[in-house]
Amino acid sequence: MPTVAQLRAQLKARGLRTDGLKRELEARLAAAPPGAGRGTAIDDGGAIGAPGREGMEEDASDESEREEEEQDQDSEQQGEGSDDGEELDIEDLPPKLQLKLLKHTKALEKARGEADDSDSDEDSDSDSDSELESSSEEEFESGSELESSEEESSSDDEANTFLASDSDDSSSDDDRRVVRSAKDKRFDQLRAACDALTPMTKNNDWIALLGGFDKMNTQLDKTMRVVQGQKKTPRFYIKTLVMLEDFLAATMANKEAKKKMSSTNSKALNAMRQRLKKHNVGYEADIATFRENPVATDDEESESESEEESEDENVDEEEEPEVEDEADKGKSKSQKAFDKEFTKDPKKVTYAMVMAKLAEISASRGKKGVDRQEQVDQLSYLARVAKTPAQALEVMTAVVSAQFDLTPSMATHMPVEVWRSCVANLHQIFAILAAYPKIKMSDSIDESLQEKHRLDDDGELKPLEEGAEEPEVHVSGNLVSFLERLDDELFKSLQCIDPHTVQYMDRLRDELVYISLAQASMAYCKTVEDGRALARVLVRVLEHIYYKTDAVYSATVRIHVEMTKKAREEAAAAKEEAMKAAEGADETDPDAPVVLPEPEWFKVDMLETTMPETVSAFAKQLAATIYKLGDERTKARCMLCEIYSKALAGDFHRARDLLLMSHMQESVQHMDVATQILFNRAIAQLGLSAFHAGLIREAHSCLSELYIGGRVKELLAQGVQLQRFHERDPEREKLERRRQMPFHMHINLELLEAVHLICAMLLEVANMAIHSHDLRGKLFSKPLRRLLDINSRQPFTGPPENVRDHAVVATLALAKGDWQTALDMLLGLSAWNLVPEGQREKTLSMLQAKVKEEALRTYLLTYATHYSSLSLEQLCSMFELSEQTCHALVSKAMLSGELHASWDQPTRSIVMHNIEPTRLQRMALQLSEKVHRHAQ
């Protein structure tokens, strides 16, 4: 039977502390007689016993030991401030302490009684311990109020360990914890997902079957990802697919059961039929094999088990820790595996190894947790160790695609270094295609001419017979889409970079790099006779040059020549260094760096490109081919680029004729947003060209379409203008910002607004003088009239500050015939500094003449009623015009009926005919008409 000390040790091991309770009881009951009726004795082990039991069993020989023990207890009580010699019965204790003592006593008595009965049976010790645990927990919970917060927290932590009793440790050896590999767990999860579909088929629940089917396929992907070396699909998974096929066929054959289905269950059945049919295409061979032998034999089962065991052994061997080299530190597991398989000895790499690794990397694209830069590095290495030029092209196409994956977001642009590397790879692709004309690359190819049809059973390429010509090989890939994506990334980078920095200027040089690459692709498209692809490339090139002036374009050509020469010298130097490194490499030294062999197809020089001398010649050359081979959208964009280019060069009439012949203004509303923006840019440049040519009315008709809505920034894609009384839409604003033009392609809005307001002023001032009595007269420009109305309501007008203020002041001065003030206001605009110097002088002299002419015309129409005659010489001196010009303007006003006058040739004067009523007479006539209408 266990002693009290042993029971106390068990309580202490399970987290029950009795030290604090012992000290408190000893302080109060030290002097109590051992045989007291309700007294409580404490043994030397600190456990609380039954009333007086231990004191009655002791003999006289133990008196000395008891006295020593009481002395030790007295010393402990003095340290805690207790009183010696105080004789108290249990009834003198507080109620809470009495309750605790009774619970302690009952628990220990029960534990002792059960311990006596369990001497012959060792297993019953665990039961007594568990009951002791439950009673002791109650005991500990009731005594928790007397202990500190630290003892409570520690007892709670130790109570968790107490829940696992000794019986769990000594129950049996069969229930030990089993450590399982991740592979086994995945296979069990897959098997459970497959087995879960069986009860669903019995219930004919196609909704649950559809969800279970998706869950099973997801679990299969996870399982096969863990088992990378095993390509064979588990047999029980194929069995589940066969079961689903048979059950689906039986259900479709039972038409009565189909009619009784609910609408949701019927929809799930149809969805399951389509999904299962599409999914089982990849497992046709495995399903056919299973149907031939649906019951696996013992030999097959044992063979599969041995394969799994061998795979586990291989995995264990691979997982053995190896000592890492300094060069391998920081690399991922897949990179280390790749280095172990390839880079140790590149000469042993075979055609099949390259294709297998290419398929593996391509299959992992887009998956979560894949290092994309690592994929680019691995594919770049595979391209260097490819065995044939066709294989190298296939791998390099995958390299370019992987480089595009490095920038997954549409809101950001591709890094500049990655973009240039991608351009270099495409240059190499075009060079290989030019050097090997038997290789054709396009998105629509003849699969029978692919190189994979020349492979043997081991996946290696069959050698050609002696004297046989190289067969034609087709490689899948869309090079034009790569070019368009590169152009889009260049466009986005120019949108994001600050235009007032050096980085923006450096990035503009890449525009020449792209044009050079596009010209290389033109040569290839002409070789394969792909007209549609050629037109798409040409229009991209045209969109990079149509907005340049001749001076800018000539500088661009000069920089292009310098960059081409520099690139050729750098490529030659790099080849020389590579040859020296290959010659100086020691093949016997294992620590020497691996030098990759240089294939013949990588020794091909890049194609040289040239650019015409002028923008008009280049645009004409490109447009002729686009009009012949392009589709409707490509032709429309080419037409708009050509209109812009001719208008920028000052050929307004030719640009206007192209616009009218194309009928673009009628169909542009049905085109995409990018084409509409290009149309608006062409119209704006056409208006500027008309103004420089002195065609005021034509310029105003072009620009008024842009300014009539007050959204010229958005129409030209040169900024986002916030509208009043409209809620801000973040999605729409994000789309607007993606359409913005780069800064170097902007049309200056200040110059455009100045030209528009000047044209409106020259047309509107004379019109206001003619219809001064008619408030509802003809309007040429609503924006200018609105500005004049706002200015008339101002109590105080300060000096002009912006373009609009200058235009308003000039208009008011011109309406009074003060042409000098109006001209000073217009010539004071800073926007004229943006016009080229040669064109600026011509434009300002034209503007001065137009202001004088309109001032003369307005003066005559406004003050004609105040004169009986006017001398021609006086008019010429007032407006500083020649007699011929003044005579022509006055005669034109007379013939049009605007001015009621005639020439007096002997006196060289204008005789006024006062036919027009005065202002008072006109108001009287209007009043009489209103009174007459009211009387009727």
Side-chain angles (χ1 to χ4, degrees), residues 48 265 324 335 524 591 593 610 767 837 856 917:
I48 304 172
N265 203 17
E324 291 187 356
Q335 183 65 35
Y524 176 72
D591 298 331
T610 57
N767 182 61
E837 186 174 357
L856 172 60

Side-chain angles (χ1 to χ4, degrees), residues 841-853:
E841 296 178 357
K842 181 181 178 181
T843 301
L844 293 180
S845 61
M846 178 273 301
L847 179 60
Q848 184 176 1
K850 290 292 182 181
V851 169
K852 292 178 180 179
E853 292 174 3

Side-chain angles (χ1 to χ4, degrees), residues 298 312 330 849 917:
D298 296 338
D312 294 339

Side-chain angles (χ1 to χ4, degrees), residues 852-853 856-857 860 870-877 879-896 899 901-911:
K852 292 178 180 179
E853 292 174 3
L856 172 60
R857 183 162 169 257
L860 290 175
L870 275 172
S871 173
L872 182 60
E873 295 178 358
Q874 185 180 1
L875 290 176
C876 292
S877 63
F879 296 98
E880 297 183 2
L881 292 172
S882 62
E883 291 185 0
Q884 184 179 0
T885 303
C886 284
H887 191 280
L889 290 173
V890 174
S891 299
K892 186 177 180 181
M894 292 178 183
L895 293 175
S896 62
L899 181 63
S902 61
W903 284 104
D904 187 8
Q905 295 294 339
T907 60
R908 297 174 60 82
S909 61
I910 304 170
V911 179

Side-chain angles (χ1 to χ4, degrees), residues 215-233:
K215 183 179 180 181
M216 180 182 68
N217 292 330
T218 304
Q219 193 61 44
L220 177 67
D221 294 339
K222 294 179 181 179
T223 304
M224 301 308 291
R225 201 178 303 145
V226 172
V227 191
Q228 296 181 358
Q230 181 180 356
K231 298 182 180 179
K232 188 176 180 181
T233 309

